[in-house]
Amino acid sequence: MIYPDAKSWRAAQRKSVLFFGMSGLGKTHVSKVLVQQGGWFHYSVDYRIGTSGMYSHIKDNLIAHAMREPFLAEMLRADAIYLEPNVHNHDLSAVASYLGKPGDPAKGGLPMAEYIRRQSQFRIAEIAALQDDTETFRIRAQSLYGYNNFICDTGGSICEWIDPEDENDPLLTKLASQCLLVWIKGDAAHTNDMIERFDRAPKPMAYQPEFLARVWGEYLNQNNMSEEDVDPDTFIRWTYAQALAHRQPRYAAMARHGITVTADDIHAVKTARDFDALIAAKL
């Protein structure tokens, strides 16, 4: 770890942390607290994915849909209008809508082959945002804007692209050399709450290819249905709890390269001083 103990953390002139864990446990909350207190630069991996790695894919999809409407198609060909995704740091609807859900096209589903293609695009974009851009933005935060402290706020799917059991995993070792890895861990009550929230409003997610292939095959077999019969929202609701269980041991293995804090610990942070004390206590 780049800060092996509390003393080195407190003495550091420049602090860099990377938050990981399931969405909804406080990564963005604590990032906002630190930014508002001053002295911290917030690098959102999800926002970077939407404005860089996935941007052209989302834009092309918007144009493809618009071209189905004769009036818009004529305007686009004449270069009289343009379409651009609007990705916000707090609202990644453009990314989620593009990722989509597999199943019945009449219910808004995508063919599985297309769904897999978009999942692959997201995986490539997220790895680039982590592997290439984290250090770039860490350096820019200090050299351009004068921020000594840096937050890498990752998406819940970071653990899908890392082999956490491999001590030499290239992405994991690179990130650990740049930032203190901080797992924000939820308990059973948090998990149940996330499942309930997801059930009310299911959202697209990114999955490890092997996991997706397994749950898709199981769902089709258990329900004796073909791809076109699948209700997209029903499938991703069914998959969500399994995805949480699949990710938990992967996060735990990643945490061996850093520290673990609870979601309750994070939500108790009200100031930058609170955060410094929490990290020092865990080290």
Side-chain angles (χ1 to χ4, degrees):
M1 294 191 295
I2 60 173
Y3 311 108
D5 52 39
K7 183 179 179 180
S8 62
W9 165 259
R10 292 190 181 278
Q13 296 300 305
R14 297 182 62 191
K15 294 174 180 174
S16 301
V17 296
L18 180 149
F19 297 130
F20 68 95
M22 285 301 299
S23 298
L25 291 179
K27 296 190 297 290
T28 303
H29 158 76
V30 71
S31 297
K32 288 180 178 178
V33 169
L34 294 174
V35 168
Q36 289 167 0
Q37 291 283 311
W40 287 85
F41 182 91
H42 180 208
Y43 170 56
S44 168
V45 169
D46 282 343
Y47 181 70
R48 180 63 176 170
I49 291 168
T51 55
S52 180
M54 295 293 286
Y55 190 85
S56 63
H57 303 309
I58 298 167
K59 181 176 178 177
D60 286 351
N61 190 51
L62 289 174
I63 293 172
H65 278 273
M67 289 295 290
R68 298 172 189 171
E69 209 288 317
F71 174 73
L72 292 178
E74 181 180 350
M75 295 290 281
L76 284 166
R77 290 193 186 101
D79 200 23
I81 62 171
Y82 64 89
L83 296 173
E84 298 287 345
N86 193 8
V87 180
H88 304 277
N89 200 23
H90 59 280
D91 182 1
L92 300 170
S93 299
V95 179
S97 296
Y98 178 75
L99 272 181
K101 310 164 189 177
D104 183 357
K107 296 180 179 179
L110 293 170
M112 178 50 77
E114 174 63 13
Y115 184 69
I116 290 172
R117 186 179 76 88
R118 296 186 186 192
Q119 288 274 317
S120 177
Q121 291 172 339
F122 185 91
R123 175 181 59 81
I124 292 168
E126 183 163 24
I127 290 173
L130 289 164
Q131 185 162 286
D132 301 328
D133 296 338
T134 298
E135 183 65 358
T136 298
F137 276 88
R138 193 170 77 100
I139 292 170
R140 291 180 70 212
Q142 200 279 329
S143 62
L144 287 181
Y145 303 112
Y147 287 100
N148 286 327
N149 303 321
F150 175 81
I151 305 157
C152 180
D153 177 4
T154 71
S157 53
I158 181 175
C159 66
E160 304 285 19
W161 326 129
I162 284 172
D163 180 359
E165 299 296 341
D166 180 2
E167 293 291 327
N168 298 310
D169 180 86
L171 179 54
L172 182 59
T173 54
K174 185 169 186 177
L175 292 172
S177 72
Q178 298 165 355
C179 303
L180 175 66
L181 305 188
V182 181
W183 178 28
I184 303 178
K185 181 181 180 181
D187 58 21
H190 292 119
T191 299
N192 290 335
D193 181 60
M194 287 189 290
I195 291 171
E196 289 176 4
R197 279 190 283 132
F198 190 88
D199 192 61
R200 289 193 297 269
K203 299 177 181 179
M205 288 179 59
Y207 303 106
Q208 184 188 62
E210 296 81 3
F211 171 82
L212 177 60
R214 176 176 65 78
V215 295
W216 181 248
E218 289 175 358
Y219 188 83
L220 295 181
N221 289 334
Q222 289 180 20
N223 294 280
N224 193 27
M225 59 174 52
S226 64
E227 176 180 313
E228 296 77 14
D229 299 325
V230 173
D231 180 282
D233 281 347
T234 302
F235 170 71
I236 64 168
R237 283 189 178 104
W238 180 83
T239 304
Y240 185 69
Q242 297 184 68
L244 293 183
H246 159 76
R247 289 179 175 182
Q248 198 72 1
R250 302 181 71 84
Y251 290 141
M254 286 177 61
R256 294 199 294 265
H257 297 261
I259 63 171
T260 300
V261 300
T262 69
D264 291 339
D265 289 334
I266 285 296
H267 283 286
V269 170
K270 305 301 181 186
T271 67
R273 183 173 294 180
D274 292 344
F275 180 72
D276 274 347
L278 172 62
I279 298 301
K282 298 299 180 179
L283 286 167

